[in-house]
């Protein structure tokens, strides 16, 4: 079975502060990990995926297989980063996603 | 980029009636679409996987006779909530998978707010 855990339902930081959204997963094989973001009144959209090893909007995430984690980080949070963030795992060839519970990030001015 | 639409964006229906929600991939052909249910400020719960030309695969605990899924073409999947009850009120989201994308990325629709009175 595959499982994704986001331990923080709410996370608040001030503008300019570093932010880290935690994600842990459980999967016996080699998973593909994603971070999706949902801004207020907008659809869910892909933020980044681990295989791309890219930085999007200043966010990065490193897959740590030893700790089975895929934490999302940004060194300097911005107010426009306020949103719901979902960590997701795909463990099958056809890409069925298992989502974590989501973390609501609020960046205060 | 790939765009997925849903119709209607919100619907109100009376208890006992059926409601159909459409999910369309606008600029790509999607052999696989997914239907999710989302409760306020909570995670997305996968309901079923819809494959073009074959029966949908339902997740455990999802009633297939209540949530009918049809994927008749490569750009359209429909979810019909039959004999709707107030507890079916929720936000339903579909996603479509672009088979041309190596990582099977899913593109999400804007969602449909269903309210059953």
């Amino acid at each position: 079975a595959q499982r994704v855990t986001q331990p923080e339902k709410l996370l608040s930081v001030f503008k300019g502060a570093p932010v880290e959204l935690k994600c842990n997963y459980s999967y016996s094989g080699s998973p593909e990990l994603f971070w999706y973001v949902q801004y207020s009144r907008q659809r869910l959209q892909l933020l980044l995926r681990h295989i791309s090893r890219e930085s999007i909007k200043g966010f990065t995430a490193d897959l740590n297989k030893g700790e089975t984690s895929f934490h999302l980080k940004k060194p300097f949070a911005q107010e426009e980063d306020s949103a719901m963030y979902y960590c997701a795992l795909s463990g099958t060839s056809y890409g069925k996603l298992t989502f974590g519970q989501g973390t609501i990030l609020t960046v205060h001015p | 980029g790939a765009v997925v639409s849903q119709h209607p964006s919100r619907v109100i229906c009376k208890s006992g009636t059926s409601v159909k929600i459409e999910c369309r991939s606008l600029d790509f052909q999607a052999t696989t679409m997914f239907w999710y249910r989302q409760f306020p400020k909570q995670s997305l719960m996968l309901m079923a996987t819809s494959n073009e030309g074959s029966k949908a695969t339902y997740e455990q605990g999802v009633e297939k006779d209540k949530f009918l899924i049809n994927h008749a073409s490569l750009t359209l999947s429909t979810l019909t909530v039959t004999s709707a009850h107030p507890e079916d009120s929720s936000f339903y989201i579909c996603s479509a998978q672009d088979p041309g994308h190596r990582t099977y990325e899913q593109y999400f629709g804007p969602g449909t707010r269903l309210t059953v009175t």
Side-chain angles (χ1 to χ4, degrees), chain A residues 21-75:
Chain A
L21 290 83
K22 290 183 168 49
C23 172
N24 288 90
Y25 67 90
S26 173
Y27 183 68
S28 56
S30 294
E32 288 193 51
L33 275 297
F34 305 83
W35 276 99
Y36 282 84
V37 60
Q38 188 172 29
Y39 299 104
S40 179
R41 300 185 189 280
Q42 293 188 28
R43 71 183 68 196
L44 202 65
Q45 57 185 286
L46 179 66
L47 180 62
L48 54 79
R49 59 178 78 95
H50 89 270
I51 62 169
S52 299
R53 303 182 69 82
E54 58 198 346
S55 174
I56 301 295
K57 299 184 178 183
F59 285 98
T60 58
D62 291 319
L63 178 61
N64 186 321
K65 292 186 177 181
E67 296 182 358
T68 60
S69 67
F70 187 57
H71 303 326
L72 182 68
K73 300 177 184 179
K74 185 169 182 176

Side-chain angles (χ1 to χ4, degrees), chain B:
Chain B
V3 179
V4 175
S5 70
Q6 278 184 246
H7 178 79
S9 58
R10 60 178 67 227
V11 57
I12 301 173
C13 71
K14 292 187 176 181
S15 187
T17 62
S18 295
V19 174
K20 180 185 285 187
I21 302 170
E22 294 185 348
C23 176
R24 293 182 185 272
S25 56
L26 298 186
D27 49 3
F28 66 99
Q29 293 183 329
T31 52
T32 303
M33 292 183 173
F34 300 88
W35 286 96
Y36 297 86
R37 187 170 175 175
Q38 184 181 35
F39 294 97
K41 297 189 187 293
Q42 293 189 33
S43 188
L44 282 76
M45 182 192 79
L46 179 65
M47 299 175 65
T49 303
S50 170
N51 293 298
E52 186 267 338
S54 64
K55 290 184 179 180
T57 302
Y58 290 83
E59 295 299 302
Q60 191 173 8
V62 178
E63 298 177 61
K64 62 180 181 181
D65 294 330
K66 180 167 187 61
F67 298 99
L68 300 179
I69 292 172
N70 183 276
H71 193 156
S73 79
L74 287 172
T75 59
L76 174 65
S77 175
T78 60
L79 168 68
T80 301
V81 183
T82 62
S83 187
H85 290 285
E87 55 265 31
D88 299 325
S89 297
S90 191
F91 197 57
Y92 293 88
I93 302 173
C94 74
S95 70
Q97 203 167 60
D98 185 349
H101 204 289
R102 190 179 66 84
T103 59
Y104 297 95
E105 181 173 341
Q106 290 185 30
Y107 299 91
F108 286 82
T112 296
R113 172 77 58 195
L114 170 63
T115 303
V116 184
T117 60

